[in-house]
Amino acid sequence: MKLPFGKVPVEILEGVIFKNLGFKRKEVILGPSAGFDGAVIDLGEKSLVVSIDPITGAVERIGWLAVNINANDVATFGVEPTFFLSCIMLPENADRKTIEVICSQMDVAAKNLKMAIVGGHCEVTPGITHPIIVGCALGTTHKGCYVTAGGAKPEDKLILTKSAGIEGTAILATERYDLLLKMGADHKLLRSAQKFFEKISVVKDGVTAFRTGGVDAMHDPTEGGVLGGVHEMADASNLGVKVFEENIPVAEETMEICKLLKIDPLQLVSSGAMLIAAKPESAEYIIKKLRKERIEASIIGEFLSDSKTRVMVRKDKSETRLKRPECDHLWLALKRQG
């Protein structure tokens, strides 16, 4: 079986990776599980939240993304990320300037989030054609003071902050700028789309929502986009879900780029958005608090008790099965050369 680009299928996670986890330690409160954004380790009166992610599909802002994408995963627990480590792997043609650019980007991103870069590794790696960064973010909180992606309850409202496909929009507008121009994209629209990098942090989204109260679970929709993120959250919570297509915000820039490249904005990597499961009576108040922080948010669906029921209500009110992405559509778009 040849694997697709991006995350490996859940059945391989569960059948192979999760069966080879080394020694079991009592301090591990939450270990590797499908749909969860990180691990939780007991440190006595404190809980340590740890997450790790690679940056592989972007080049221009790779150092900046490495910090923010990993920080986002910690924020899904409602915890502020405070420490960062990285493993930087460089192609054979890399030089000092390459390292300077990556490290300066990481420095700016970490300072913006008040994170300390506390260690890592940097090497030239045979066989790769562009830089790859694997980052690790950590944050601490009072013992048990967090949520996970698996805490959603039946009838919880599903909130999405910002819009679908934020990270993918920014990457494609940068990495495929010339191609999109040839395909008829407007120059101003692409420049606007490139600025979507500025929206990628969800640290404020997660911390604000958690501190407001009424949040049962959070998850950031990365690979697989909004649809992938919704499935992962439902998987982690062992619930079903109903999503309303017309309620999912998609920016004009995202819609135009996806139309030209013939990809689905709802299956496009969506770092920059946060999925929040909120108690029904708390959802509108959480949205109000987010908007006070200038973070747009919308109720896009609700969780159901039957884990097998996963539906999308289309704009014409018809219901279809909620598609589970096989591959993030960023990879499909990046394979296009013209």
Side-chain angles (χ1 to χ4, degrees):
M1 172 186 174
K2 184 178 180 181
L3 298 175
F5 287 117
K7 293 180 179 179
V8 299
V10 173
E11 58 267 26
I12 293 180
L13 285 176
E14 295 176 344
V16 180
I17 296 174
F18 296 165
K19 290 184 177 180
N20 295 278
L21 298 178
F23 187 78
K24 292 185 178 181
R25 297 192 63 92
K26 66 180 186 303
E27 297 93 343
V28 180
I29 306 303
L30 174 64
S33 303
F36 289 84
D37 296 292
V40 179
I41 300 170
D42 187 355
L43 298 178
E45 295 302 311
K46 295 280 188 178
S47 293
L48 175 67
V49 177
V50 186
S51 184
I52 186 168
D53 257 324
I55 304 298
T56 57
V59 177
E60 290 280 329
R61 304 283 291 271
I62 189 169
W64 190 89
L65 282 169
V67 174
N68 279 283
I69 298 305
N70 282 280
N72 284 354
D73 280 345
V74 173
T76 66
F77 289 80
V79 175
E80 288 188 72
T82 48
F83 306 106
F84 181 75
L85 299 94
S86 67
C87 178
I88 303 170
M89 291 170 280
L90 304 168
E92 293 180 38
N93 63 349
D95 56 19
R96 179 189 176 97
K97 181 65 176 176
T98 305
I99 298 173
E100 288 176 347
V101 169
I102 290 172
C103 290
S104 64
Q105 290 177 359
M106 288 168 48
D107 179 61
V108 170
K111 284 176 177 173
N112 286 342
L113 295 172
K114 297 181 180 179
M115 296 177 70
I117 298 175
V118 296
H121 175 77
C122 184
E123 68 170 49
V124 174
T125 306
I128 64 174
T129 59
H130 60 273
I132 294 174
I133 300 179
V134 180
C136 175
L138 306 92
T140 58
T141 186
H142 293 294
K143 186 175 183 177
C145 189
Y146 57 85
V147 293
T148 73
K153 306 292 190 297
E155 300 185 7
D156 274 358
K157 298 300 181 182
L158 177 59
I159 298 170
L160 179 73
T161 67
K162 300 171 190 162
S163 61
I166 291 172
E167 182 186 359
T169 300
I171 291 172
L172 291 172
T174 302
E175 306 288 340
R176 290 295 179 265
Y177 177 82
D178 291 337
L179 173 62
L180 287 164
L181 278 181
K182 289 178 183 178
M183 298 177 77
D186 180 74
H187 164 79
K188 290 184 179 178
L189 180 139
L190 293 179
R191 290 301 185 194
S192 175
Q194 290 173 355
K195 293 180 181 178
F196 278 31
F197 280 117
E198 298 169 8
K199 303 180 181 183
I200 282 177
S201 175
V202 292
V203 172
K204 186 181 287 187
D205 308 38
V207 172
T208 298
F210 179 71
R211 290 178 178 173
T212 299
V215 172
D216 285 328
M218 291 192 287
H219 184 52
D220 67 326
T222 52
E223 282 198 43
V226 170
L227 297 189
V230 171
H231 271 292
E232 289 174 346
M233 203 171 185
D235 290 343
S237 301
N238 195 30
L239 294 176
V241 67
K242 179 182 286 189
V243 175
F244 297 90
E245 183 183 27
E246 66 179 0
N247 290 0
I248 303 175
V250 181
E252 178 187 357
E253 295 89 340
T254 304
M255 191 69 76
E256 181 64 18
I257 288 172
C258 289
K259 182 179 177 181
L260 288 170
L261 294 173
K262 298 180 180 179
I263 59 174
D264 183 0
L266 303 188
Q267 298 183 65
L268 180 63
V269 59
S270 294
S271 299
M274 181 74 89
L275 290 166
I276 303 167
K279 299 183 190 305
E281 65 272 17
S282 303
E284 291 294 346
Y285 187 58
I286 291 168
I287 289 173
K288 181 180 178 181
K289 284 290 191 178
L290 288 166
R291 287 177 176 167
K292 277 190 175 182
E293 296 292 334
R294 299 182 179 180
I295 301 167
E296 283 301 312
S298 310
I299 296 175
I300 66 166
E302 60 188 18
F303 286 96
L304 310 173
S305 57
D306 181 5
S307 63
K308 295 181 180 179
T309 303
R310 309 263 177 105
V311 296
M312 167 84 81
V313 179
R314 295 292 185 185
K315 293 177 182 178
D316 63 4
K317 307 306 179 185
S318 65
E319 290 190 5
T320 61
R321 179 179 59 85
L322 187 70
K323 184 182 291 291
R324 186 187 287 269
E326 296 179 3
C327 172
D328 193 286
H329 281 206
L330 174 66
W331 297 111
L332 302 183
L334 288 176
K335 286 195 294 185
R336 293 195 60 163
Q337 299 299 321

